[in-house]
Amino acid sequence: MKNKFVLAFFLILSFFLVQIYGRKKQTEALSHLSNAKFRGNSGIDMSHFKAVELVNSKSKIHYHPDDIGSKENDRIVRLPGQPNVRFSQYGGYVTVDKSAGRAFYYYFVEAQHSKDSLPLLLWLNGGPGCSSLAYGAMQELGPFRVHSDGKTLYKNRYSWNYAANVLFLESPAGVGFSYSNRTSDYDNNGDKKTAEDNYIFLVNWLKRFPEYKDRDFYISGESYAGHYVPQLAHTILYNNKKAKKTIINLKGILIGNAVINDETDNIGMYDYFAGHALVSNDAVNNIKKHCDFSPNATTQSATCISANNQIERDISHLDIYNIYAPLCFSPTTTAKPKIASLENFDPCSDYYVYAYLNTPEVQEAMHANVTKLKHDWEPCSDVISQWLDSSATVLPLLQEFMANGLRVWIYSGDTDGRVPFTSTIYSIDKLNLPIKTEWHPWYLKGEVGGYTQVYKGDLTFATVRGAGHEVPSFQPLRALSLIKHFVDGTPLPDTKRY
């Protein structure tokens, strides 16, 4: 009973912090779920993820021409405040459940060059409940960033559409502009439903954009997308097998600072804290002695909770998603745009994006919010009330992908403390994979870009030096190099001449 009161206290505290400091961010969303799972008695189903057959579901996979929608109607002529560009961009809705009136919003940017030959890349942000527009498109790897005035855009010369045609998806229902006419859907989200709806979205989107139907396809994402990406990939493989044909031409996955195995994710996080002098070794040793990190833990002792509370107080004044980054002390837009820098990420960017995407002219240009939602567009959803299922590990899915010849890359910004490189290394070690290429630095422009190790079975792990949780925000050039080598299927460069 005590643990339930402790959990309730932390949920209430998180709510008030959001009210004081502004829009809920990716940080709060992941901490909310992980705290609930770690402290026990959450009621969240943590069993292994299993795909369901969707390929023959005519009630969900739309097959009538009237249901497909028009690519040309989704074309974005120009975004307000946008600089001139030479690539095409699209935005709109794809229905994932006709009976419920559930539809997902997407934003798609074709490649800067060679759009007819470069692969299709889907980007998913995590949370759970956070928007791929808020982070991926507008603060990380999209073609534009938002000026501090919240009205104008500037070019991201390190956009990932230099390497692929990039599709950003807001999911599940209740995230960003994605919605359901059956509002009870917002109370029933979880890993399984998200994977199912994401798959249905993809099948229907490819009918609207048939030129990408047979294109090499990759799925990427960060943070809690460490669940979304593998679970969607597994669903694709499962339904390709059921259909006895290639419905979606999946070639690989790329996940960054990814939640993939609860037990090692937690232990690795505390070890990172101690290893970077954020907390004492005694505090971490106390956590390891008194806390149960196993997936079948149902409660935590009072001593464990107390030790964890002390650590949370020690790190509370840091941006734990980039332990060396400045904080935002001016959570408002400015009358005139500040001088923008791609290399020095502005910690107040969340507020600029919030202002921009809640502008009616922007929504009209993007073909968004067509149903006039009763809530604002938010970087992380405030209408999703609970998360029903969250598997304790996705490691078996990674093993499946390697067995099926898919490319698997996992990367870590090395200044992220929330899902740090230590967590990811501990998780990969659980797979017991033979090493193909030993740990070594990789280079970009004569400097160390990070470190990498390649495992037999086509799994590559790489760190990105000087990057936080949202790697392309903090090291955009190194992130672009990473994605180029991933889609090309080439190792990261191991000599300084790059």
Side-chain angles (χ1 to χ4, degrees):
M1 181 64 71
K2 180 184 292 184
N3 285 329
K4 290 185 178 180
F5 283 118
V6 171
L7 175 59
F9 168 77
F10 271 91
L11 296 182
I12 293 169
L13 177 62
S14 296
F15 172 80
F16 281 109
L17 287 174
V18 170
Q19 304 310 306
I20 294 170
Y21 293 110
R23 316 255 68 85
K24 184 169 73 172
K25 300 171 71 173
Q26 199 163 210
T27 48
E28 289 94 351
L30 179 56
S31 295
H32 180 101
L33 178 67
S34 60
N35 275 336
K37 292 173 72 176
F38 173 65
R39 294 170 187 273
N41 293 320
S42 64
I44 298 170
D45 177 6
M46 292 190 286
S47 59
H48 286 312
F49 175 84
K50 294 181 180 179
V52 297
E53 183 176 352
L54 296 166
V55 66
N56 294 316
S57 177
K58 292 186 177 181
S59 64
K60 293 182 178 180
I61 304 295
H62 303 145
Y63 57 96
H64 191 279
D66 292 343
D67 292 331
I68 294 173
S70 167
K71 169 184 171 179
E72 277 308 307
N73 286 345
D74 287 355
R75 183 184 292 275
I76 296 172
V77 177
R78 188 182 184 87
L79 294 172
Q82 171 202 305
N84 293 329
V85 295
R86 294 183 178 180
F87 59 85
S88 296
Q89 51 185 334
Y90 301 84
Y93 286 93
V94 173
T95 299
V96 296
D97 190 323
K98 195 173 183 179
S99 63
R102 192 161 69 247
F104 282 2
Y105 182 81
Y106 79 89
Y107 173 59
F108 177 54
V109 291
E110 291 189 328
Q112 300 266 1
H113 61 83
S114 308
K115 70 180 182 67
D116 295 329
S117 59
L118 286 176
L120 175 65
L121 177 77
L122 173 67
W123 174 267
L124 300 170
N125 272 97
C130 294
S131 163
S132 296
L133 278 182
Y135 295 99
M138 293 297 183
Q139 298 187 55
E140 298 186 67
L141 56 125
F144 307 114
R145 297 273 181 92
V146 183
H147 275 298
S148 63
D149 62 358
K151 298 177 181 179
T152 56
L153 306 175
Y154 60 102
K155 288 182 182 179
N156 175 13
R157 61 182 179 275
Y158 307 116
S159 172
W160 284 15
N161 73 329
Y162 282 101
N165 300 280
V166 186
L167 175 61
F168 301 93
L169 175 62
E170 292 194 304
S171 75
V175 172
F177 294 123
S178 295
Y179 69 91
S180 177
N181 291 333
R182 186 172 60 197
T183 54
S184 61
D185 282 348
Y186 303 148
D187 303 326
N188 296 297
N189 280 310
D191 284 12
K192 295 172 185 175
K193 184 178 176 184
T194 301
E196 179 178 326
D197 281 355
N198 285 349
Y199 177 82
I200 295 167
F201 164 86
L202 265 179
V203 172
N204 290 330
W205 186 90
L206 287 168
K207 291 177 181 177
R208 193 175 301 180
F209 291 78
E211 64 269 36
Y212 294 98
K213 176 73 171 65
D214 299 317
R215 197 76 59 90
D216 285 358
F217 176 64
Y218 298 95
I219 316 173
S220 58
E222 71 191 11
S223 193
Y224 197 75
H227 280 217
Y228 293 168
V229 172
Q231 290 163 351
L232 175 57
H234 172 70
T235 303
I236 290 170
L237 290 180
Y238 179 84
N239 281 280
N240 281 352
K241 184 177 180 180
K242 285 289 183 180
K244 298 180 180 179
K245 64 179 181 180
T246 301
I247 299 171
I248 298 174
N249 190 26
L250 179 65
K251 295 297 183 181
I253 68 166
L254 173 76
I255 47 178
N257 293 90
V259 178
I260 53 177
N261 189 65
D262 288 353
E263 183 173 5
T264 45
D265 286 348
N266 279 316
I267 295 172
M269 178 182 68
Y270 291 114
D271 282 348
Y272 184 91
F273 291 168
H276 285 75
L278 306 184
V279 303
S280 70
N281 285 324
D282 287 344
V284 170
N285 290 335
N286 205 19
I287 283 277
K288 288 183 175 180
K289 180 179 179 181
H290 295 287
C291 296
D292 184 355
F293 294 103
S294 65
N296 57 358
T298 56
T299 59
Q300 298 293 347
S301 69
T303 305
C304 166
I305 297 295
S306 176
N308 190 61
N309 290 348
Q310 177 59 53
I311 286 178
E312 288 184 354
R313 286 192 292 270
D314 288 342
I315 64 172
S316 62
H317 297 290
L318 292 173
D319 177 358
I320 204 60
Y321 277 51
N322 186 341
I323 62 172
Y324 302 121
L327 301 178
C328 174
F329 293 106
S330 300
T332 58
T333 57
T334 60
K336 294 182 179 180
K338 293 188 290 185
I339 296 175
S341 171
L342 291 171
E343 286 74 20
N344 296 301
F345 184 71
D346 188 329
C348 298
S349 293
D350 255 22
Y351 300 97
Y352 314 153
V353 173
Y354 174 82
Y356 186 78
L357 290 178
N358 277 293
T359 303
E361 293 77 14
V362 172
Q363 295 178 0
E364 182 178 1
M366 297 184 74
H367 316 123
N369 197 16
V370 294
T371 60
K372 304 304 176 188
L373 298 169
K374 295 180 180 179
H375 55 271
D376 288 353
W377 176 93
E378 295 280 355
C380 293
S381 176
D382 58 5
V383 299
I384 293 177
S385 59
Q386 58 184 338
W387 201 256
L388 299 183
D389 62 287
S390 174
S391 55
T393 183
V394 298
L395 294 180
L397 303 185
L398 303 186
Q399 291 173 315
E400 175 197 10
F401 304 153
M402 289 183 281
N404 281 272
L406 296 185
R407 189 177 305 149
V408 179
W409 280 36
I410 306 174
Y411 65 92
S412 291
D414 63 9
T415 65
D416 173 31
R418 188 57 192 83
V419 191
F421 68 86
T422 44
S423 296
T424 302
I425 288 173
Y426 293 172
S427 297
I428 292 173
D429 285 348
K430 299 285 284 186
L431 295 170
N432 295 314
L433 298 172
I435 295 172
K436 179 180 178 182
T437 306
E438 293 282 354
W439 184 272
H440 64 276
W442 64 272
Y443 295 91
L444 182 64
K445 292 187 176 295
E447 294 187 335
V448 173
Y451 293 82
T452 183
Q453 184 158 283
V454 182
Y455 300 83
K456 291 181 180 178
D458 204 10
L459 187 150
T460 295
F461 171 68
T463 68
V464 180
R465 186 167 66 93
H469 191 77
E470 296 90 357
V471 167
S473 295
F474 302 103
Q475 291 293 336
L477 178 58
R478 290 172 185 168
L480 178 58
S481 178
L482 184 84
I483 188 63
K484 283 183 173 179
H485 284 279
F486 169 73
V487 298
D488 289 344
T490 56
L492 289 164
D494 59 2
T495 60
K496 287 187 177 182
R497 59 187 172 86
Y498 283 87

